[in-house]
Amino acid sequence: GYPEERVTMVPNACDLDLFRPELRAPLDARFGAPDDFRAIFTGAHGKANGLDAVLDAAVVLKRRGVRGVRLVFIGKGGEKPRLMQRAAEQGLGDVVTWLDAVPKQELAAIVAGMDAGLMVLRNLPDFYYGTSPNKFFDYIAAGLPVLNNYPGWLAEIIAEHRCGIAIPPDDAEAFADALLKLRDDPAGRAEMGRRARRLAETQFDRRQLGERWVNVLEKEGTKGLRDTGT
């Protein structure tokens, strides 16, 4: 019931100077063979992140005998030891790479060297429209197509701008299929990446959104001074 004209939405934003496609460079052996297809997850490894979904897809790939796909996890969290133990017990060492959190400058270079970004959360309705994860904005700023595994506004924006693939939640086969679709279509993947960067530049530029935020505060501050006669 609040007046619509009194509401301004300033969403999360992309650091276009830090995360850039042109930072792409060869990566070291931690990230698999030079010609591997690499998909990355960055950030917290907690219960809310639902990262078993990625390992479930890795199990499917291994069962199918797929080689040349590397799933990279960078970050920390309460679930990480258990996830690493599960991966070891299921023999996923040739599919999965684990790294601790790294400084943003280093992360930007690593992300630019990837082929896709993984936007993964537990399948909870509260997350569909109630989250705005930093990693999504880093991925698109770096020009990565995004593989998203839950419904909501991110799935919708990915579909609208054709900058990745949105799959149903809790579907390991669909997750594995999406990874292979991205791997097997380098030209399509590159075009998704270009659209991702374009989306970052046109809708989520941190400088533009920062200016919008400041303008709203200054406008309301000036109005408040007028209203009080100051």
PDB file of all heavy atoms in Angstrom, residues 135-161:
ATOM      1  N   LYS A 135      27.774 -13.605  -6.400  1.00  0.00           N
ATOM      2  CA  LYS A 135      28.459 -14.397  -7.412  1.00  0.00           C
ATOM      3  C   LYS A 135      27.829 -14.249  -8.789  1.00  0.00           C
ATOM      4  O   LYS A 135      28.542 -14.225  -9.796  1.00  0.00           O
ATOM      5  CB  LYS A 135      28.527 -15.864  -6.992  1.00  0.00           C
ATOM      6  CG  LYS A 135      27.178 -16.553  -6.822  1.00  0.00           C
ATOM      7  CD  LYS A 135      27.351 -18.005  -6.400  1.00  0.00           C
ATOM      8  CE  LYS A 135      27.902 -18.118  -5.005  1.00  0.00           C
ATOM      9  NZ  LYS A 135      26.983 -17.581  -3.968  1.00  0.00           N
ATOM     10  N   PHE A 136      26.519 -14.128  -8.857  1.00  0.00           N
ATOM     11  CA  PHE A 136      25.866 -13.964 -10.158  1.00  0.00           C
ATOM     12  C   PHE A 136      26.397 -12.722 -10.860  1.00  0.00           C
ATOM     13  O   PHE A 136      26.699 -12.740 -12.064  1.00  0.00           O
ATOM     14  CB  PHE A 136      24.352 -13.864  -9.989  1.00  0.00           C
ATOM     15  CG  PHE A 136      23.625 -13.514 -11.259  1.00  0.00           C
ATOM     16  CD1 PHE A 136      23.425 -14.466 -12.242  1.00  0.00           C
ATOM     17  CD2 PHE A 136      23.154 -12.224 -11.479  1.00  0.00           C
ATOM     18  CE1 PHE A 136      22.763 -14.148 -13.424  1.00  0.00           C
ATOM     19  CE2 PHE A 136      22.492 -11.895 -12.649  1.00  0.00           C
ATOM     20  CZ  PHE A 136      22.298 -12.855 -13.625  1.00  0.00           C
ATOM     21  N   PHE A 137      26.544 -11.638 -10.126  1.00  0.00           N
ATOM     22  CA  PHE A 137      26.985 -10.377 -10.708  1.00  0.00           C
ATOM     23  C   PHE A 137      28.458 -10.426 -11.099  1.00  0.00           C
ATOM     24  O   PHE A 137      28.866  -9.805 -12.079  1.00  0.00           O
ATOM     25  CB  PHE A 137      26.673  -9.233  -9.739  1.00  0.00           C
ATOM     26  CG  PHE A 137      25.200  -9.127  -9.446  1.00  0.00           C
ATOM     27  CD1 PHE A 137      24.652  -9.792  -8.365  1.00  0.00           C
ATOM     28  CD2 PHE A 137      24.366  -8.417 -10.280  1.00  0.00           C
ATOM     29  CE1 PHE A 137      23.287  -9.727  -8.110  1.00  0.00           C
ATOM     30  CE2 PHE A 137      23.002  -8.346 -10.044  1.00  0.00           C
ATOM     31  CZ  PHE A 137      22.461  -9.008  -8.950  1.00  0.00           C
ATOM     32  N   ASP A 138      29.245 -11.190 -10.340  1.00  0.00           N
ATOM     33  CA  ASP A 138      30.647 -11.388 -10.719  1.00  0.00           C
ATOM     34  C   ASP A 138      30.739 -12.214 -12.004  1.00  0.00           C
ATOM     35  O   ASP A 138      31.544 -11.903 -12.894  1.00  0.00           O
ATOM     36  CB  ASP A 138      31.407 -12.092  -9.599  1.00  0.00           C
ATOM     37  CG  ASP A 138      31.509 -11.261  -8.331  1.00  0.00           C
ATOM     38  OD1 ASP A 138      31.275 -10.033  -8.395  1.00  0.00           O
ATOM     39  OD2 ASP A 138      31.802 -11.841  -7.271  1.00  0.00           O
ATOM     40  N   TYR A 139      29.939 -13.261 -12.102  1.00  0.00           N
ATOM     41  CA  TYR A 139      29.969 -14.114 -13.293  1.00  0.00           C
ATOM     42  C   TYR A 139      29.642 -13.317 -14.552  1.00  0.00           C
ATOM     43  O   TYR A 139      30.349 -13.407 -15.557  1.00  0.00           O
ATOM     44  CB  TYR A 139      28.960 -15.257 -13.166  1.00  0.00           C
ATOM     45  CG  TYR A 139      29.196 -16.263 -12.069  1.00  0.00           C
ATOM     46  CD1 TYR A 139      28.118 -17.014 -11.577  1.00  0.00           C
ATOM     47  CD2 TYR A 139      30.445 -16.489 -11.513  1.00  0.00           C
ATOM     48  CE1 TYR A 139      28.287 -17.952 -10.576  1.00  0.00           C
ATOM     49  CE2 TYR A 139      30.623 -17.425 -10.514  1.00  0.00           C
ATOM     50  CZ  TYR A 139      29.536 -18.160 -10.040  1.00  0.00           C
ATOM     51  OH  TYR A 139      29.697 -19.090  -9.047  1.00  0.00           O
ATOM     52  N   ILE A 140      28.542 -12.577 -14.512  1.00  0.00           N
ATOM     53  CA  ILE A 140      28.136 -11.889 -15.743  1.00  0.00           C
ATOM     54  C   ILE A 140      29.101 -10.759 -16.077  1.00  0.00           C
ATOM     55  O   ILE A 140      29.344 -10.482 -17.259  1.00  0.00           O
ATOM     56  CB  ILE A 140      26.670 -11.405 -15.691  1.00  0.00           C
ATOM     57  CG1 ILE A 140      26.432 -10.364 -14.606  1.00  0.00           C
ATOM     58  CG2 ILE A 140      25.717 -12.586 -15.545  1.00  0.00           C
ATOM     59  CD1 ILE A 140      25.027  -9.740 -14.651  1.00  0.00           C
ATOM     60  N   ALA A 141      29.667 -10.109 -15.058  1.00  0.00           N
ATOM     61  CA  ALA A 141      30.672  -9.079 -15.336  1.00  0.00           C
ATOM     62  C   ALA A 141      31.883  -9.682 -16.032  1.00  0.00           C
ATOM     63  O   ALA A 141      32.496  -9.053 -16.906  1.00  0.00           O
ATOM     64  CB  ALA A 141      31.097  -8.388 -14.050  1.00  0.00           C
ATOM     65  N   ALA A 142      32.233 -10.920 -15.670  1.00  0.00           N
ATOM     66  CA  ALA A 142      33.364 -11.610 -16.284  1.00  0.00           C
ATOM     67  C   ALA A 142      33.020 -12.213 -17.634  1.00  0.00           C
ATOM     68  O   ALA A 142      33.885 -12.797 -18.299  1.00  0.00           O
ATOM     69  CB  ALA A 142      33.880 -12.707 -15.352  1.00  0.00           C
ATOM     70  N   GLY A 143      31.763 -12.073 -18.054  1.00  0.00           N
ATOM     71  CA  GLY A 143      31.352 -12.600 -19.347  1.00  0.00           C
ATOM     72  C   GLY A 143      31.153 -14.095 -19.369  1.00  0.00           C
ATOM     73  O   GLY A 143      31.356 -14.743 -20.413  1.00  0.00           O
ATOM     74  N   LEU A 144      30.728 -14.663 -18.229  1.00  0.00           N
ATOM     75  CA  LEU A 144      30.466 -16.097 -18.178  1.00  0.00           C
ATOM     76  C   LEU A 144      28.976 -16.377 -18.357  1.00  0.00           C
ATOM     77  O   LEU A 144      28.139 -15.697 -17.746  1.00  0.00           O
ATOM     78  CB  LEU A 144      30.884 -16.685 -16.826  1.00  0.00           C
ATOM     79  CG  LEU A 144      32.343 -16.671 -16.433  1.00  0.00           C
ATOM     80  CD1 LEU A 144      32.545 -17.497 -15.163  1.00  0.00           C
ATOM     81  CD2 LEU A 144      33.238 -17.182 -17.550  1.00  0.00           C
ATOM     82  N   PRO A 145      28.621 -17.404 -19.123  1.00  0.00           N
ATOM     83  CA  PRO A 145      27.246 -17.891 -19.071  1.00  0.00           C
ATOM     84  C   PRO A 145      26.985 -18.498 -17.699  1.00  0.00           C
ATOM     85  O   PRO A 145      27.898 -19.051 -17.074  1.00  0.00           O
ATOM     86  CB  PRO A 145      27.199 -18.958 -20.170  1.00  0.00           C
ATOM     87  CG  PRO A 145      28.613 -19.383 -20.356  1.00  0.00           C
ATOM     88  CD  PRO A 145      29.471 -18.198 -20.019  1.00  0.00           C
ATOM     89  N   VAL A 146      25.760 -18.400 -17.231  1.00  0.00           N
ATOM     90  CA  VAL A 146      25.424 -18.840 -15.878  1.00  0.00           C
ATOM     91  C   VAL A 146      24.498 -20.046 -15.942  1.00  0.00           C
ATOM     92  O   VAL A 146      23.480 -20.032 -16.641  1.00  0.00           O
ATOM     93  CB  VAL A 146      24.743 -17.707 -15.082  1.00  0.00           C
ATOM     94  CG1 VAL A 146      24.414 -18.174 -13.666  1.00  0.00           C
ATOM     95  CG2 VAL A 146      25.662 -16.483 -15.030  1.00  0.00           C
ATOM     96  N   LEU A 147      24.859 -21.086 -15.194  1.00  0.00           N
ATOM     97  CA  LEU A 147      24.002 -22.258 -15.018  1.00  0.00           C
ATOM     98  C   LEU A 147      23.327 -22.136 -13.663  1.00  0.00           C
ATOM     99  O   LEU A 147      23.990 -22.153 -12.623  1.00  0.00           O
ATOM    100  CB  LEU A 147      24.821 -23.540 -15.107  1.00  0.00           C
ATOM    101  CG  LEU A 147      24.103 -24.863 -14.814  1.00  0.00           C
ATOM    102  CD1 LEU A 147      22.829 -25.001 -15.624  1.00  0.00           C
ATOM    103  CD2 LEU A 147      25.038 -26.035 -15.091  1.00  0.00           C
ATOM    104  N   ASN A 148      22.008 -21.979 -13.678  1.00  0.00           N
ATOM    105  CA  ASN A 148      21.218 -21.704 -12.478  1.00  0.00           C
ATOM    106  C   ASN A 148      20.285 -22.884 -12.202  1.00  0.00           C
ATOM    107  O   ASN A 148      19.646 -23.397 -13.123  1.00  0.00           O
ATOM    108  CB  ASN A 148      20.389 -20.436 -12.721  1.00  0.00           C
ATOM    109  CG  ASN A 148      19.491 -20.078 -11.560  1.00  0.00           C
ATOM    110  OD1 ASN A 148      19.917 -19.406 -10.626  1.00  0.00           O
ATOM    111  ND2 ASN A 148      18.242 -20.518 -11.618  1.00  0.00           N
ATOM    112  N   ASN A 149      20.195 -23.310 -10.915  1.00  0.00           N
ATOM    113  CA  ASN A 149      19.438 -24.540 -10.638  1.00  0.00           C
ATOM    114  C   ASN A 149      18.231 -24.345  -9.725  1.00  0.00           C
ATOM    115  O   ASN A 149      17.820 -25.285  -9.047  1.00  0.00           O
ATOM    116  CB  ASN A 149      20.359 -25.610 -10.037  1.00  0.00           C
ATOM    117  CG  ASN A 149      20.610 -25.407  -8.550  1.00  0.00           C
ATOM    118  OD1 ASN A 149      20.623 -24.278  -8.045  1.00  0.00           O
ATOM    119  ND2 ASN A 149      20.774 -26.508  -7.828  1.00  0.00           N
ATOM    120  N   TYR A 150      17.657 -23.148  -9.716  1.00  0.00           N
ATOM    121  CA  TYR A 150      16.435 -22.955  -8.924  1.00  0.00           C
ATOM    122  C   TYR A 150      15.590 -21.873  -9.575  1.00  0.00           C
ATOM    123  O   TYR A 150      16.113 -20.998 -10.265  1.00  0.00           O
ATOM    124  CB  TYR A 150      16.767 -22.586  -7.467  1.00  0.00           C
ATOM    125  CG  TYR A 150      17.525 -21.297  -7.297  1.00  0.00           C
ATOM    126  CD1 TYR A 150      16.871 -20.112  -6.957  1.00  0.00           C
ATOM    127  CD2 TYR A 150      18.907 -21.245  -7.477  1.00  0.00           C
ATOM    128  CE1 TYR A 150      17.568 -18.926  -6.809  1.00  0.00           C
ATOM    129  CE2 TYR A 150      19.606 -20.068  -7.324  1.00  0.00           C
ATOM    130  CZ  TYR A 150      18.934 -18.912  -6.987  1.00  0.00           C
ATOM    131  OH  TYR A 150      19.631 -17.734  -6.851  1.00  0.00           O
ATOM    132  N   PRO A 151      14.267 -21.919  -9.391  1.00  0.00           N
ATOM    133  CA  PRO A 151      13.384 -20.924 -10.017  1.00  0.00           C
ATOM    134  C   PRO A 151      13.551 -19.555  -9.370  1.00  0.00           C
ATOM    135  O   PRO A 151      14.225 -19.389  -8.350  1.00  0.00           O
ATOM    136  CB  PRO A 151      11.973 -21.480  -9.742  1.00  0.00           C
ATOM    137  CG  PRO A 151      12.157 -22.858  -9.236  1.00  0.00           C
ATOM    138  CD  PRO A 151      13.519 -22.927  -8.624  1.00  0.00           C
ATOM    139  N   GLY A 152      12.903 -18.566  -9.977  1.00  0.00           N
ATOM    140  CA  GLY A 152      12.906 -17.233  -9.398  1.00  0.00           C
ATOM    141  C   GLY A 152      13.396 -16.180 -10.364  1.00  0.00           C
ATOM    142  O   GLY A 152      13.498 -16.395 -11.577  1.00  0.00           O
ATOM    143  N   TRP A 153      13.743 -15.015  -9.818  1.00  0.00           N
ATOM    144  CA  TRP A 153      14.060 -13.880 -10.675  1.00  0.00           C
ATOM    145  C   TRP A 153      15.353 -14.079 -11.461  1.00  0.00           C
ATOM    146  O   TRP A 153      15.463 -13.619 -12.601  1.00  0.00           O
ATOM    147  CB  TRP A 153      14.091 -12.591  -9.851  1.00  0.00           C
ATOM    148  CG  TRP A 153      15.322 -12.374  -9.026  1.00  0.00           C
ATOM    149  CD1 TRP A 153      15.591 -12.868  -7.790  1.00  0.00           C
ATOM    150  CD2 TRP A 153      16.453 -11.591  -9.403  1.00  0.00           C
ATOM    151  NE1 TRP A 153      16.824 -12.443  -7.356  1.00  0.00           N
ATOM    152  CE2 TRP A 153      17.375 -11.645  -8.324  1.00  0.00           C
ATOM    153  CE3 TRP A 153      16.783 -10.831 -10.528  1.00  0.00           C
ATOM    154  CZ2 TRP A 153      18.595 -10.995  -8.350  1.00  0.00           C
ATOM    155  CZ3 TRP A 153      18.012 -10.173 -10.552  1.00  0.00           C
ATOM    156  CH2 TRP A 153      18.899 -10.263  -9.475  1.00  0.00           C
ATOM    157  N   LEU A 154      16.328 -14.785 -10.884  1.00  0.00           N
ATOM    158  CA  LEU A 154      17.557 -15.017 -11.633  1.00  0.00           C
ATOM    159  C   LEU A 154      17.317 -15.952 -12.811  1.00  0.00           C
ATOM    160  O   LEU A 154      17.824 -15.712 -13.909  1.00  0.00           O
ATOM    161  CB  LEU A 154      18.642 -15.587 -10.720  1.00  0.00           C
ATOM    162  CG  LEU A 154      19.337 -14.595  -9.790  1.00  0.00           C
ATOM    163  CD1 LEU A 154      20.418 -15.305  -8.985  1.00  0.00           C
ATOM    164  CD2 LEU A 154      19.940 -13.436 -10.566  1.00  0.00           C
ATOM    165  N   ALA A 155      16.553 -17.007 -12.594  1.00  0.00           N
ATOM    166  CA  ALA A 155      16.214 -17.903 -13.701  1.00  0.00           C
ATOM    167  C   ALA A 155      15.490 -17.142 -14.803  1.00  0.00           C
ATOM    168  O   ALA A 155      15.731 -17.362 -16.002  1.00  0.00           O
ATOM    169  CB  ALA A 155      15.357 -19.056 -13.194  1.00  0.00           C
ATOM    170  N   GLU A 156      14.620 -16.230 -14.403  1.00  0.00           N
ATOM    171  CA  GLU A 156      13.859 -15.450 -15.380  1.00  0.00           C
ATOM    172  C   GLU A 156      14.750 -14.505 -16.165  1.00  0.00           C
ATOM    173  O   GLU A 156      14.614 -14.374 -17.389  1.00  0.00           O
ATOM    174  CB  GLU A 156      12.750 -14.673 -14.663  1.00  0.00           C
ATOM    175  CG  GLU A 156      11.664 -15.578 -14.094  1.00  0.00           C
ATOM    176  CD  GLU A 156      10.743 -14.864 -13.115  1.00  0.00           C
ATOM    177  OE1 GLU A 156      10.910 -13.633 -12.922  1.00  0.00           O
ATOM    178  OE2 GLU A 156       9.861 -15.528 -12.550  1.00  0.00           O
ATOM    179  N   ILE A 157      15.681 -13.846 -15.487  1.00  0.00           N
ATOM    180  CA  ILE A 157      16.546 -12.898 -16.187  1.00  0.00           C
ATOM    181  C   ILE A 157      17.534 -13.626 -17.093  1.00  0.00           C
ATOM    182  O   ILE A 157      17.874 -13.143 -18.183  1.00  0.00           O
ATOM    183  CB  ILE A 157      17.269 -11.960 -15.185  1.00  0.00           C
ATOM    184  CG1 ILE A 157      17.707 -10.673 -15.878  1.00  0.00           C
ATOM    185  CG2 ILE A 157      18.462 -12.634 -14.528  1.00  0.00           C
ATOM    186  CD1 ILE A 157      18.188  -9.595 -14.937  1.00  0.00           C
ATOM    187  N   ILE A 158      17.973 -14.817 -16.678  1.00  0.00           N
ATOM    188  CA  ILE A 158      18.847 -15.623 -17.536  1.00  0.00           C
ATOM    189  C   ILE A 158      18.117 -16.031 -18.808  1.00  0.00           C
ATOM    190  O   ILE A 158      18.664 -15.949 -19.920  1.00  0.00           O
ATOM    191  CB  ILE A 158      19.357 -16.856 -16.770  1.00  0.00           C
ATOM    192  CG1 ILE A 158      20.377 -16.426 -15.712  1.00  0.00           C
ATOM    193  CG2 ILE A 158      19.976 -17.882 -17.724  1.00  0.00           C
ATOM    194  CD1 ILE A 158      20.721 -17.512 -14.711  1.00  0.00           C
ATOM    195  N   ALA A 159      16.857 -16.448 -18.653  1.00  0.00           N
ATOM    196  CA  ALA A 159      16.070 -16.835 -19.824  1.00  0.00           C
ATOM    197  C   ALA A 159      15.794 -15.630 -20.721  1.00  0.00           C
ATOM    198  O   ALA A 159      15.913 -15.715 -21.952  1.00  0.00           O
ATOM    199  CB  ALA A 159      14.762 -17.482 -19.379  1.00  0.00           C
ATOM    200  N   GLU A 160      15.429 -14.501 -20.120  1.00  0.00           N
ATOM    201  CA  GLU A 160      15.093 -13.311 -20.899  1.00  0.00           C
ATOM    202  C   GLU A 160      16.280 -12.813 -21.716  1.00  0.00           C
ATOM    203  O   GLU A 160      16.137 -12.430 -22.882  1.00  0.00           O
ATOM    204  CB  GLU A 160      14.609 -12.202 -19.965  1.00  0.00           C
ATOM    205  CG  GLU A 160      14.289 -10.895 -20.683  1.00  0.00           C
ATOM    206  CD  GLU A 160      13.916  -9.767 -19.736  1.00  0.00           C
ATOM    207  OE1 GLU A 160      13.794 -10.022 -18.515  1.00  0.00           O
ATOM    208  OE2 GLU A 160      13.747  -8.634 -20.225  1.00  0.00           O
ATOM    209  N   HIS A 161      17.461 -12.820 -21.110  1.00  0.00           N
ATOM    210  CA  HIS A 161      18.635 -12.269 -21.783  1.00  0.00           C
ATOM    211  C   HIS A 161      19.501 -13.342 -22.435  1.00  0.00           C
ATOM    212  O   HIS A 161      20.553 -13.019 -22.989  1.00  0.00           O
ATOM    213  CB  HIS A 161      19.449 -11.448 -20.780  1.00  0.00           C
ATOM    214  CG  HIS A 161      18.750 -10.203 -20.332  1.00  0.00           C
ATOM    215  ND1 HIS A 161      18.833  -9.012 -20.996  1.00  0.00           N
ATOM    216  CD2 HIS A 161      17.901  -9.985 -19.296  1.00  0.00           C
ATOM    217  CE1 HIS A 161      18.095  -8.101 -20.388  1.00  0.00           C
ATOM    218  NE2 HIS A 161      17.527  -8.663 -19.348  1.00  0.00           N
TER     219      HIS A 161
END
